[in-house]
Amino acid sequence: KARKEIQEREEKFRDLADSMPQFVWTSDNKGQITYMNDNWYRYTGYAKDENPTEVVKRVMKPEFYEKVEPVWEESLKTGKPFEMEYQFVDPKNLETYRWFLARAVPTFDDNENIKQWIGTFTDIDDFKQLQTQKDKFLGIASHELKTPLTSLKIYTQFIEKNLVKQNDLKNAQVARKMDDQIDLLTNLISDLLDVTKIQNGKIKLNESEFDFDQLAEEIVYEQQMVASHKIILHPSKVGKIFADRHRVSQVMSNLISNAVKYSPDADQVIVSTGLIDNNVTFCVRDFGIGIPEDKQSKVFEQYYRVSSSEEHTFPGLGLGLYISSEIIKRTGGKIYMSSNEQKGSDFCFEIPKSKK
Ligand code: ADP
């Protein structure tokens, strides 16, 4: 009777897994797949007696294999939930691949050892295609918006000069304000363009040797011109470094302008630079609204904005930190932060001083 009951229960859960639209699987604690639901076999056309772990490798687009393996190994070792997007061959058209979201979570025995992993592969190909369309649209739209904006800027400056000449200072000031707004718009569009460049792998670093200390000073000075806060620089002697000057300055400006933006009630922002071995650091400290701990890991993601009623009052697209982190990654460095809600945040990056 007991055996029958177990059998019935087993059948119930098997039916449950088999009727899922996703591919559902389990693996042992070494990562060997022990079960795949029917849907998987229907999709791939492979027989049930073939080693399912091998089948997964066979249908995966080869370029992903090297990336997936270490992440999966890391999860197996640490018990950290596994989540990755990659492509499996489309059995209906062997030349093409479909995007899947792979996820797995471990279950534990009484001694807290990993018993097995329960995983899914979810087809996200349609979603990915929409995303590609959106990115393409963003790329084209931002590119097309840039040209008229450049002309607009030239005309506005022309009007401003003429008004000054005619001694119409009141209207000249209006033209000046228009020019500032055009700059804001240009920055937003540049961010959108940068994002599309990053996605297409087209963000190129234009590296050369430059004076890091001088750049830090320049950026602090530039940001001070538009900030209501006092921006205090605690410099270290770093000297010449080899990197993309323009892109590094973009990251510095982004961190400082965020610090100012997200600390409306504070009156200062502290910038410090440092040199440890071959690594140059740049840190910005603010005494502002801070970021709740559970949101901190997300701030470097694309379009991510900490959303509470408070943050909604700050303008932005949620792209600056994403772009900054991509630039720093490509420079061979890292970007990181720590924060206390209502107390303030520290944002830092670290890049190599010279190419080894
Ligand atoms: P944006 O500022 O345009 O929204 P960012 O990518 O620069 O985009 O920042 C992402 C999010 O991280 C912001 O929306 C904000 O919620 C949070 N954030 C960034 N810098 C700070 C800071 N210094 N203090 C508090 N929150 C911050």
Side-chain angles (χ1 to χ4, degrees):
K1 211 170 150 198
R3 194 183 310 136
K4 193 154 179 269
E5 229 170 70
I6 290 171
Q7 254 171 7
E8 275 171 11
R9 217 176 300 160
E10 208 264 344
E11 215 169 291
K12 184 169 125 194
F13 285 111
R14 197 170 282 270
D15 284 350
L16 183 73
D18 282 337
S19 56
M20 298 285 279
Q22 281 109 331
F23 305 139
V24 182
W25 50 269
T26 59
S27 89
D28 63 16
N29 57 9
K30 298 200 175 59
Q32 291 299 312
I33 294 177
T34 45
Y35 163 81
M36 276 285 190
N37 72 346
D38 276 351
N39 238 348
W40 170 259
Y41 294 103
R42 269 197 294 277
Y43 176 79
T44 58
Y46 278 94
K48 285 194 177 173
D49 55 3
E50 289 205 55
N51 179 335
T53 313
E54 290 303 316
V55 172
V56 171
K57 284 183 202 166
R58 228 173 290 157
V59 296
M60 189 184 296
K61 192 172 186 179
E63 68 191 57
F64 284 103
Y65 189 64
E66 269 172 31
K67 291 182 197 137
V68 175
E69 188 78 352
V71 182
W72 181 219
E73 287 294 331
E74 173 74 11
S75 284
L76 290 173
K77 214 163 63 193
T78 59
K80 203 177 96 190
F82 172 78
E83 184 172 322
M84 260 186 114
E85 292 177 3
Y86 41 80
Q87 287 175 297
F88 287 140
V89 73
D90 182 353
K92 289 198 202 92
N93 180 359
L94 294 175
E95 314 271 275
T96 59
Y97 291 88
R98 289 185 75 80
W99 278 100
F100 283 84
L101 168 68
R103 296 171 109 161
V105 286
T107 56
F108 298 92
D109 63 17
D110 294 342
N111 299 324
E112 296 292 308
N113 295 318
I114 297 175
K115 202 164 61 179
Q116 65 168 353
W117 287 81
I118 300 178
T120 50
F121 297 137
T122 309
D123 189 328
I124 52 166
D125 203 65
D126 294 343
F127 166 74
K128 277 277 184 187
Q129 298 216 4
L130 280 176
Q131 214 175 26
T132 316
Q133 271 175 17
K134 180 208 69 191
D135 293 340
K136 260 195 202 147
F137 168 75
L138 270 184
I140 294 168
S142 42
H143 189 81
E144 292 298 319
L145 282 169
K146 228 177 161 164
T147 323
L149 212 54
T150 314
S151 315
L152 199 59
K153 186 165 173 72
I154 296 169
Y155 295 140
T156 312
Q157 286 174 342
F158 180 75
I159 291 174
E160 191 203 342
K161 256 191 217 144
N162 280 346
L163 287 169
V164 171
K165 257 191 224 152
Q166 292 162 17
N167 217 8
D168 186 350
L169 298 181
K170 216 168 155 191
N171 282 319
Q173 202 195 356
V174 176
R176 173 88 244 130
K177 284 190 177 155
M178 244 165 91
D179 191 45
D180 289 345
Q181 294 299 317
I182 293 172
D183 284 345
L184 284 182
L185 202 53
T186 311
N187 285 342
L188 285 179
I189 290 171
S190 298
D191 273 0
L192 285 175
L193 261 177
D194 277 348
V195 167
T196 46
K197 275 191 206 152
I198 290 169
Q199 276 154 354
N200 300 332
K202 281 194 190 135
I203 202 164
K204 293 261 159 26
L205 294 182
N206 196 353
E207 294 179 313
S208 63
E209 200 177 62
F210 65 88
D211 188 319
F212 186 83
D213 307 318
Q214 193 191 345
L215 180 67
E217 253 175 55
E218 236 172 67
I219 298 299
V220 167
Y221 179 77
E222 215 179 274
Q223 291 290 322
Q224 185 64 77
M225 306 265 281
V226 288
S228 46
H229 297 51
K230 176 93 195 94
I231 305 174
I232 302 161
L233 176 63
H234 292 305
S236 299
K237 179 98 193 75
V238 173
K240 293 228 180 320
I241 79 160
F242 187 80
D244 184 327
R245 190 177 195 275
H246 168 68
R247 291 296 183 186
V248 171
S249 76
Q250 189 180 347
V251 179
M252 290 176 170
S253 303
N254 179 232
L255 297 189
I256 299 176
S257 62
N258 272 353
V260 171
K261 179 161 73 171
Y262 295 104
S263 65
D265 298 330
D267 54 11
Q268 63 176 30
V269 161
I270 299 173
V271 178
S272 54
T273 62
L275 180 66
I276 310 163
D277 301 327
N278 188 42
N279 288 322
V280 181
T281 56
F282 180 93
C283 286
V284 182
R285 164 167 291 183
D286 70 61
F287 306 93
I289 60 169
I291 302 170
E293 213 174 323
D294 57 323
K295 311 266 165 64
Q296 292 181 5
S297 62
K298 296 216 169 81
V299 293
F300 296 108
E301 287 175 14
Q302 200 182 338
Y303 302 118
Y304 186 80
R305 311 201 68 215
V306 177
S307 53
S308 70
S309 52
E310 202 178 358
E311 274 89 356
H312 275 311
T313 58
F314 298 101
L317 293 177
L319 290 177
L321 286 179
Y322 168 70
I323 296 168
S324 294
S325 79
E326 287 296 318
I327 291 171
I328 295 300
K329 256 192 254 162
R330 265 156 232 240
T331 309
K334 56 182 182 200
I335 189 163
Y336 47 93
M337 56 89 55
S338 65
S339 181
N340 269 321
E341 230 181 324
Q342 300 307 333
K343 291 219 170 84
S345 315
D346 288 281
F347 277 85
C348 298
F349 70 77
E350 189 183 305
I351 51 174
K353 181 168 153 66
S354 56
K355 287 258 139 54
K356 284 254 169 73

